[in-house]
Amino acid sequence: MSMRVTAALGVAGLFVVLHQGSAWAGPDERVPIPGTGPCVTDPVPVHEDLIPETLEMPIPYPVITVLPPAPPEPEPVRVEMALPEDPCDNPCPDLTDLPEPPPNLAEQLGIPQLLLKPQPFHFALPGPSPDPGEGPPPPAPVTPPTEAAPREVAPAAPQVLRVQEIAKQTGANSVNRTDKRWQVDGTDLGIMWESAPGEIAVAFGDTVGRGFHPPGGFGGDWRSNVLAFSTDTDLSDGVTFDRMVTDSRCHAAEVLSSRKLDNVEMTTIPTSGFALDGRQYMSYMSLRTWNSLPGTFYTNYGGIAYSDDGGQTWTKDRHARWDNIFGLASFQVSAMVPHGEHVYMFGTPSTRLGSVGLARVAKDQILNTTAYQYWRDGQWTPVGGAAGATPIMDGPVGELSVRYAADRGVWQMSYLDTARAAIVVRESATPQGAWSEPTPTVTVFDHPELYGGFIHPWSSGDELYFNISTWSDYNVYLVRAELG
């Protein structure tokens, strides 16, 4: 299993740059969060050393595969789970408190252990197909009009006064003890949206449980994605999860399936989410392989899934897809934001290096790709489709997070800028811009292997809360930035 390793190493290679002037708070200024809520028996979490105890290196080898048609989506199994009243209680010690294996030779000698793991790299016949297979027909084609959409003057770059790490959100000794409660020992991303009034959904990427050993998402019990929910309104001490979608006792479910065949479909990764008229939507990327050029990855398509039962089960719409033609198509990694009568879709190609394109669609046509208008040279137009979209900002842009800050009347965007070796924030009066210059929040000097930067939708005023991940920890941390 090669999850994100090539991309992460490539980004790390781009991080040899000058310091961008982050206002990161020192360790003595960070909020100490022992355990889950009042559970003071857990140790305060610490970041993993950059020199790992175990380094697993996937070794791809070619395999010719006669690829059968994509199987039908597995029938989801869901189990309701009640957490103990005492947050210090482990609900499933028989599943999570297992004996530690005896120390290996490397541990006895106090040196890193190198694991070489052969992994098939499939050359499929007839090959992955964009044909979604049998199912309902696509929506009736429509022809949206062409409308003027001029840009406004770019505002001043946001001023970042102070940045503070708030809490470890996932993994061992985190505020949510996800290893004990849901067998989520290692995971990343933490994409947030308001799933219902007073509730936040949090989507994570590749997730591992038993046997987890960073750096990266290596270990057993691999799930391509998992989903949590929170009603916690006090973000000053972290985001406490009320529940996760589970398929058995103390086990977070994979909510979007994948074929898990390298160079066919390795995994499916959420990229954004929103709720509208009682339905949840999640944009995602069908990832073909991580083993692409350094700092990049390769997708099959970017798509949209939806849920009509509050996020418990999801359907990947077979027609709401943007195929990655020749590996150059945009809208593979998308951030979707409802605003007014439209849903806006910001998208990049399948790398952390591309520029940002922009589209919008009427709220009642989200799953109809013919209804999308793309921003092109000052107009919303269907002419030219996704390939004709004019970039609203140049790359390198990785892992977008966008929101409309209603209390300030501005659009905010956070993403990984590999040229600046930082997660940056930008603002604009309109989705199409012009966007301000980027301001770094967290840099490689704070976390050498960081990525992400997903904004909490309940950020307000001069406080910007967002989730970051690090390759060395392979878990998620909530960060607060104070803006001027």
Side-chain angles (χ1 to χ4, degrees):
M1 176 169 55
S2 171
M3 294 186 293
R4 221 176 294 268
V5 64
T6 304
L9 291 176
V11 171
L14 292 170
F15 277 173
V16 184
V17 296
L18 296 176
H19 190 359
Q20 298 293 322
S22 168
W24 184 264
D28 57 332
E29 297 177 276
R30 297 177 189 171
V31 179
I33 304 296
T36 303
C39 186
V40 295
T41 59
D42 285 348
V44 175
V46 295
H47 289 283
E48 296 287 338
D49 198 295
L50 289 179
I51 300 176
E53 295 181 2
T54 303
L55 180 62
E56 184 169 325
M57 294 295 294
I59 308 297
Y61 62 90
V63 173
I64 302 298
T65 302
V66 178
L67 189 67
E73 291 289 316
E75 190 68 28
V77 176
R78 296 293 180 260
V79 172
E80 291 188 9
M81 174 185 165
L83 294 175
E85 290 186 9
D86 185 349
C88 295
D89 285 348
N90 182 354
C92 299
D94 56 316
L95 299 175
T96 60
D97 286 355
L98 301 177
E100 291 291 332
N104 55 51
L105 180 60
E107 290 173 321
Q108 294 177 37
L109 296 176
I111 61 175
Q113 180 184 26
L114 178 62
L115 301 178
L116 301 180
K117 186 172 183 179
Q119 175 180 290
F121 187 80
H122 299 274
F123 291 90
L125 300 173
S129 170
D131 182 3
E134 296 182 0
V142 297
T143 306
T146 294
E147 303 171 75
R151 307 188 87 183
E152 297 194 12
V153 175
Q159 184 181 14
V160 176
L161 304 179
R162 185 170 180 262
V163 180
Q164 182 182 28
E165 180 182 314
I166 298 298
K168 185 181 183 185
Q169 294 295 121
T170 61
N173 304 322
S174 66
V175 294
N176 292 296
R177 305 179 102 207
T178 62
D179 58 329
K180 303 296 186 185
R181 294 173 166 183
W182 299 292
Q183 297 180 67
V184 174
D185 291 51
T187 191
D188 66 351
L189 305 184
I191 298 160
M192 297 174 282
W193 68 92
E194 190 169 51
S195 50
E199 181 185 80
I200 297 295
V202 191
F204 300 95
D206 287 311
T207 298
V208 291
R210 186 177 305 172
F212 166 60
H213 52 273
F218 294 103
D221 192 15
W222 174 24
R223 287 145 285 173
S224 286
N225 42 75
V226 294
L227 185 62
F229 293 91
S230 172
T231 55
D232 186 0
T233 58
D234 182 6
L235 307 182
S236 64
D237 58 356
V239 178
T240 302
F241 303 156
D242 301 321
R243 68 186 193 281
M244 295 189 84
V245 178
T246 50
D247 54 10
S248 63
R249 190 168 62 95
C250 293
H251 189 263
E254 178 180 86
V255 295
L256 295 181
S257 66
S258 65
R259 301 188 74 169
K260 297 180 174 61
L261 298 173
D262 197 6
N263 204 37
V264 175
E265 184 184 58
M266 189 62 171
T267 190
T268 47
I269 304 294
T271 61
S272 74
F274 63 96
L276 199 59
D277 298 329
R279 171 175 278 187
Q280 304 286 317
Y281 295 89
M282 185 191 297
S283 63
Y284 69 97
M285 59 179 177
S286 167
L287 194 133
R288 183 166 177 168
T289 182
W290 294 117
N291 294 305
S292 187
L293 297 174
T296 70
F297 46 86
Y298 196 98
T299 59
N300 294 308
Y301 62 87
I304 301 176
Y306 61 88
S307 171
D308 292 323
D309 57 6
Q312 286 294 300
T313 61
W314 293 79
T315 299
K316 290 184 283 188
D317 190 275
R318 57 196 297 271
H319 302 293
R321 296 180 175 183
W322 286 260
D323 292 322
N324 193 12
I325 302 170
F326 302 119
L328 302 174
S330 191
F331 301 100
Q332 300 301 295
V333 185
S334 296
M336 303 187 72
V337 185
H339 181 66
E341 296 304 312
H342 294 89
V343 174
Y344 293 85
M345 181 172 69
F346 302 77
T348 68
S350 59
T351 69
R352 289 184 171 98
L353 307 174
S355 301
V356 181
L358 177 64
R360 73 174 190 180
V361 67
K363 286 183 174 180
D364 60 352
Q365 295 282 343
I366 294 168
L367 301 178
N368 187 348
T369 56
T370 68
Y372 281 71
Q373 301 166 297
Y374 298 87
W375 191 80
R376 182 176 182 179
D377 297 328
Q379 293 182 320
W380 295 113
T381 178
V383 178
T390 303
I392 61 169
M393 65 179 64
D394 294 329
V397 174
E399 292 152 339
L400 282 170
S401 178
V402 186
R403 74 167 189 140
Y404 179 70
D407 59 337
R408 294 181 51 216
V410 300
W411 289 78
Q412 289 180 321
M413 178 184 294
S414 173
Y415 63 88
L416 174 65
D417 184 332
T418 54
R420 289 177 169 81
I423 291 172
V424 301
V425 60
R426 303 175 80 157
E427 294 185 344
S428 174
T430 64
Q432 65 269 24
W435 286 80
S436 72
E437 289 298 308
T439 300
T441 54
V442 185
T443 80
V444 65
F445 294 92
D446 309 315
H447 291 298
E449 299 173 314
L450 83 155
Y451 56 101
F454 299 102
I455 302 172
H456 195 297
W458 292 346
S459 300
S460 62
D462 59 1
E463 290 187 319
L464 187 70
Y465 287 90
F466 55 96
N467 279 335
I468 68 166
S469 304
T470 68
W471 184 249
S472 53
D473 294 299
Y474 203 72
N475 267 297
V476 177
Y477 294 79
L478 183 69
V479 174
R480 172 187 176 271
E482 182 181 338
L483 305 180

